[in-house]
Every structure is written in C-alpha cells, then in structure tokens.
Amino acid sequence: MHGNQVAVSTALVPGVMVGDWVLLHAGFAIQRLEPDEAQQTWSVLADLQAPGSGAGGGVR
Amino acid sequence: MTHGIHKQQVRSALVRLGAAAEAVGRPMAFMEVCGTHTMSAFRCGLHALMPENVRLISGPGCPVCVTAQGDIDQLIELAMDRDVTLCTYGDMLRVPGRMGSLERARGRGAEVRVVYCALDAVRLAQSQPQRQVVFGAVGFETTAPATAVAVLKAQELGLENFSVLVSHKRVVPAMLALLESSPPHKLDGFLCPGHVSVIIGASAYRPVVHKHGVPCVIGGFEEALMAEAMAVLAEQVRDGVAKLTNHYPEAVTGGGNRVAMACIDGVFRVADVRWRGLGVIPGSGLMLRDSLRAFDAADRFALARPEDHEPRGCLCGQVIAGRATPDKCRLFGTACTPINPIGPCMVSGEGTCQAWFKYARQGTPAATAGGAP
C-alpha cells in the first residue's frame, strides 16, 4: 500500500491473484475491487490527506 | 484534477440535499450506525454543511462502545486473574471496567497484547505452546469472519492453548430494536455501514425498509459519498417512499461476501446478547457453536457471568442509542476526556464522544449547522 507491505489473509476472498485490488479490514481482504474503482478511491483519499488531515479511520 | 471533480461532486450532492430538505420542510433525523461514518462526517465538516432541518445522528456503530460493561469486566478479569496472554484490538485497551482497564491490568503485570488481525493471536499461540492465549473478539459482522477463520485455523492446527472470548454483534437486529423501542425512535432513514454491508450484503436491510418503512441507503466513507447518501435519503422522504439503495456498489453486493457469511455460520450461532445502552436484543449476537465450545475462553477459564452496570453519570448508553448527544452528558469534556475517558464512546477512535470532543467542542453540529463552523 503506497510502498508499505502488509501481510493479510485472503481466506475470505478465494481466487484473488497477485495484482488484484482488495478492500482490507482487520488483517483480512474482505472484497475484491475493480482496478479503476480502487484507483478512484486512492485519488479521493489523496485529496483527503492533502492539507493537514490526520490519518484516521478504525480497523473494524 | 481529481480534486476539482471531487469538490464538484460534494457540491452537487449538497445542492440536491438542500433542495430535498426544503421541499420536506420539517426537521429530519437520519442515523448512521458505523464508527467510520461518525468520524468521517465530523472530519469533513458534513454536519455544518447540511441544511438546518437535517440532522445526522450516531447510533450503535462503534464496536467497542456497544460492548456491554459486563463483557468488558469479563475480559479484564480474564487478563488479571488467569494466567493467560490476552490478545485484542487496540481500542479495547483503555475502556474502563469495574476493575480498571486492560491497559491498567497490563501495567500491573497482566499480559495483554494488541493485535491487528485475529490470526496474529493464533500465530502467537502456535509459537508459545506452553502458554494459554485468548483472543478477545469484539466487533460487528466485519470482524466476526476473522474470528471465525482464526478458530477454524486453531482447530486445524490442533491448538490446545488457544481460545476466544466472543462478544460479536449483528447490526441489523440493533437497527430494528431501535425502531421498535419505546418511546419510539423517530428516524427518517438509516445511512447503513459500508464495511458491514460488504459482508452481510445490501439485502440484509430489507426488514428495516419493509417492516418499518424506513429508508436505508448504504454509503461509502468519504465526504462526497456520504453527502450523496444523505441526499438520496432526503429525496426518499420528500417523495414519500422507503427504499433500499446501495450507494456503495463498488464494494457492496446484494448478497454480501458469501465466503465470509459461511465462515460466520459455520463457527457461530445467533444468540440474544446484551448491548450497552440497548439492553438484550433478540438475535443480535454471535456465540460459538456447541461443536466448538472447546475454544470458548469463558468455559475454559470458568469466568463469572457478566453483570451489567454503567459508570456513574456516564451517558454512553443513551449516546449509543442516539437519544442523547455527548454535550448533554455532564462528564463530557470535564471529567471525561480522551486522556482520561470514563465511558467507551470517549475511548474509541470511532466513538461519538471522542468525535465531538475532537471536532465539535466549541459548538454542537446542530448549533453550527448552516453557518460557518
């Protein structure tokens, strides 16, 4: 994730392949995402992070 | 470039919301039941941008907050009085119980570890076969599958030193309970949680819409998606309809994540459980199936049955039920602060009181609505 590497379980999304985008929650991939939708989400997050907004959100 | 498009999206959603709210005329109250929505709405200033007659209130959406005090006490008793390593999610550590918090227990020598993933607790048990490891499992349907996978993994590995103390909860029965409570909760619609919906699927909210005629809109977490979801809710009220709208279709399907749901079903049975502030709600909890009772920490360590009580003067119960806002609590911001929290809603990074403390101390969202913050 943006250069960070995270080990997650793919037990809940069988069949995911290297290169797929997934939604993560508490160490598990819980949904596969379409690449363009994932890119869109990243760009929105980049917007939110832009001026002085803290990294937030919970793990559950 | 994306920034501009994004701003435009927020603006047009707010215009739609404003038009619908004006047409409705009367005050409307929508409820979100997701800690991430709580924080996101405050962080992006959504409350202040909404029309004066629209309120977004927080319901029972923060997993730590809805955990009954007795269940918290049970976890602390386990960490303090039994010779175990207790693993749980970070938010749980500072929730005060009758005998202090897990953090205080750790200060007094109890072995308490924060894990990000339920499987970390299984790995720890695997690496220390002589030590009993317990995973304190809280959360909604988003984390329940993770616990289920962890239990199944421990079973597969034949681990005799791993167990779980489960207080998982189901969101929809709580939404129904709020609508059926007395005095009746007047809600004009629900902003349904994003990640829970990824697991349970959009169709899980049908009873709320069909039985109670209350609109349900599943929404994503960032400001444009939330503003759009609010607009869709207000437009349903304006049009006199109650529909289930999936406004987060890139992640949420009708049937949800069937693998995750099958994991939940294989490991847990539905049970009547106690929520903070809402009492015992039928069918609102998940407990280990009898076939997996060997992994139940309450059994293994003969823990006392949890007793219910609330910290004196704390309004968390009413805040969770959406019946009081944090500023109505006389402890809020004085005796109860994020550094010295008394109730769980101030502890959790997803709690309503912490959100108010961080973002709305100078004025309530209602007071600043429509004006400059």
Side-chain angles (χ1 to χ4, degrees):
Chain A
M1 297 194 289
H2 279 192
N4 295 323
Q5 291 202 358
V6 189
V8 299
S9 168
T10 55
L12 303 176
V13 283
V16 286
M17 312 277 280
V18 172
D20 281 351
W21 288 90
V22 289
L23 190 62
L24 295 184
H25 196 91
F28 281 78
I30 58 170
Q31 182 68 279
R32 194 191 316 201
L33 297 173
E34 292 303 321
D36 53 330
E37 281 155 359
Q39 291 292 358
Q40 229 175 328
T41 307
W42 270 128
S43 69
V44 167
L45 289 176
D47 275 3
L48 286 176
Q49 292 291 323
S53 65
V59 291
R60 281 179 295 289
Chain B
M1 183 191 75
T2 50
H3 197 78
I5 294 168
H6 180 226
K7 261 183 155 168
Q8 189 54 44
Q9 206 182 345
V10 176
R11 205 170 294 139
S12 64
L14 289 170
V15 168
R16 274 174 65 193
L17 175 61
E22 201 182 323
V24 172
R26 65 171 176 83
M28 287 184 283
F30 301 117
M31 179 181 270
E32 44 83 3
V33 277
C34 166
T36 312
H37 276 152
T38 307
M39 292 317 270
S40 187
F42 273 101
R43 198 162 48 218
C44 68
L46 185 61
H47 293 285
L49 294 170
M50 290 188 310
E52 257 174 71
N53 62 329
V54 178
R55 275 196 313 145
L56 176 62
I57 54 180
S58 296
C62 152
V64 173
C65 308
V66 301
T67 305
Q69 192 68 45
D71 294 336
I72 306 272
D73 287 340
Q74 209 183 32
L75 264 181
I76 296 167
E77 181 197 344
L78 176 63
M80 289 283 290
D81 300 345
R82 311 290 195 276
D83 192 20
V84 303
T85 298
L86 178 68
C87 299
T88 192
Y89 296 122
D91 273 0
M92 291 300 288
L93 254 68
R94 298 180 61 228
V95 182
R98 195 174 267 163
M99 299 184 289
S101 62
L102 286 174
E103 196 176 49
R104 290 241 316 258
R106 183 160 69 176
R108 291 188 218 129
E111 206 172 323
V112 180
R113 293 205 189 184
V114 171
V115 289
Y116 173 63
C117 173
L119 286 172
D120 291 342
V122 176
R123 282 187 276 268
L124 186 68
Q126 225 181 337
S127 69
Q128 306 183 347
Q130 73 295 348
R131 179 91 183 146
Q132 286 289 330
V133 174
V134 183
F135 177 59
V138 294
F140 297 106
E141 288 97 332
T142 33
T143 46
T147 305
V149 170
V151 169
L152 294 173
K153 187 75 187 168
Q155 188 183 38
E156 179 196 319
L157 294 168
L159 290 182
E160 287 177 3
N161 63 328
F162 177 80
S163 57
V164 287
L165 192 57
V166 178
S167 58
H168 280 305
K169 299 206 162 42
R170 303 170 70 219
V171 167
V172 176
M175 292 164 69
L176 292 169
L178 279 177
L179 295 172
E180 288 158 13
S181 64
S182 102
H185 220 315
K186 279 298 293 168
L187 291 175
D188 294 290
F190 280 107
L191 173 58
C192 300
H195 284 173
V196 167
S197 305
V198 169
I199 305 291
I200 67 176
S203 57
Y205 301 99
R206 282 210 182 113
V208 179
V209 178
H210 292 162
K211 218 170 133 195
H212 294 277
V214 174
C216 282
V217 175
I218 298 165
F221 299 110
E222 56 81 32
E223 62 221 49
L225 290 178
M226 281 185 78
E228 280 172 3
M230 294 292 289
V232 174
L233 281 167
E235 284 167 357
Q236 288 197 29
V237 176
R238 178 197 63 197
D239 300 341
V241 296
K243 287 191 287 196
L244 171 60
T245 309
N246 182 359
H247 211 70
Y248 191 31
E250 58 270 35
V252 177
T253 60
N257 182 329
R258 290 179 200 280
V259 175
M261 289 303 278
C263 283
I264 291 179
D265 190 50
V267 170
F268 302 112
R269 64 180 169 84
V270 170
D272 305 345
V273 300
R274 185 176 292 280
W275 296 52
R276 185 187 297 267
L278 303 175
V280 174
I281 303 175
S284 67
L286 298 169
M287 281 161 102
L288 283 178
R289 286 196 175 277
D290 285 345
S291 56
L292 292 164
R293 265 183 79 173
F295 294 96
D296 187 345
D299 263 17
R300 186 177 295 186
F301 302 102
L303 295 175
R305 276 175 71 89
E307 261 180 63
D308 201 41
H309 66 98
E310 298 263 327
R312 187 191 282 254
C314 172
L315 277 194
C316 277
Q318 289 198 49
V319 169
I320 290 159
R323 293 190 185 278
T325 46
D327 58 322
K328 299 290 180 295
C329 178
R330 62 189 175 81
L331 306 180
F332 176 74
T334 53
C336 183
T337 61
I339 288 179
N340 181 29
I342 290 173
C345 301
M346 186 63 91
V347 176
S348 171
E350 302 188 314
T352 308
C353 294
Q354 194 182 108
W356 276 64
F357 189 89
K358 266 186 174 161
Y359 299 108
R361 254 181 306 164
Q362 271 82 46
T364 65
T368 56

